[in-house]
Amino acid sequence: MSEVPSELRYTRTHEWVRDEGDGTVTVGITDHAQSSLGDLVFVELPEGGGMLEAGAACAVVESVKAASDIYAPLDGEMVGANERLADEPELINSDPYGEGWIFRLRVSDEGALDELLDADGYQEVLEAEE
């Protein structure tokens, strides 16, 4: 059973989003996603400063099994990436909702957060995939 924190928002492509309350959000991949990929060996972080469009591929995580694109959950400006992942990609496996965050966005429309899945909605996505 994958952990699905109730305070986060989710995409159908298994990214989680945490509202930081200052117009920015932190983004990572869910416990389900990291578990499905297996041991991560490389993370290609998005470049800072650019604008991202919701649904656009902006990062890549690579495991011993496969590589997977990470998609921007919302429109916004890249304001930071977790540089620790360059040397420690396994942080995503060990702490997907904490130290394993991937990037931060200054969102263009904070109201768009409400369009993402809540924990119950994401659980339904996981159940449908099983």
Side-chain angles (χ1 to χ4, degrees):
M1 175 81 74
S2 297
E3 182 185 356
V4 182
S6 61
E7 70 276 16
L8 302 177
R9 292 294 189 155
Y10 300 89
T11 68
R12 293 183 181 280
T13 52
H14 307 291
E15 289 84 12
W16 59 260
V17 179
R18 181 176 53 233
D19 183 359
E20 301 297 346
D22 61 357
T24 66
V25 297
T26 300
V27 180
I29 62 172
T30 65
D31 185 41
H32 170 80
Q34 69 79 24
S35 178
S36 297
L37 286 165
D39 293 336
L40 295 177
V41 295
F42 179 75
V43 179
E44 182 181 318
L45 297 168
E47 293 185 23
M51 294 298 292
L52 296 177
E53 184 176 320
C58 61
V60 176
V61 290
E62 193 173 314
S63 72
V64 293
K65 292 182 185 176
S68 182
D69 287 332
I70 306 299
Y71 301 96
L74 301 162
D75 293 338
E77 177 187 3
M78 271 286 307
V79 292
N82 187 353
E83 301 293 340
R84 287 182 63 193
L85 296 177
D87 294 327
E88 302 174 85
E90 66 276 8
L91 287 173
I92 294 174
N93 293 118
S94 63
D95 192 10
Y97 299 113
E99 296 297 315
W101 65 276
I102 298 175
F103 62 93
R104 293 195 168 113
L105 283 177
R106 180 167 308 285
V107 296
S108 300
D109 175 10
E110 290 184 54
L113 267 167
D114 294 335
E115 296 171 17
L116 298 175
L117 298 168
D118 61 13
D120 289 341
Y122 184 64
Q123 283 282 15
E124 290 174 13
V125 168
L126 295 180
E127 290 168 12
E129 287 186 2
E130 292 178 351

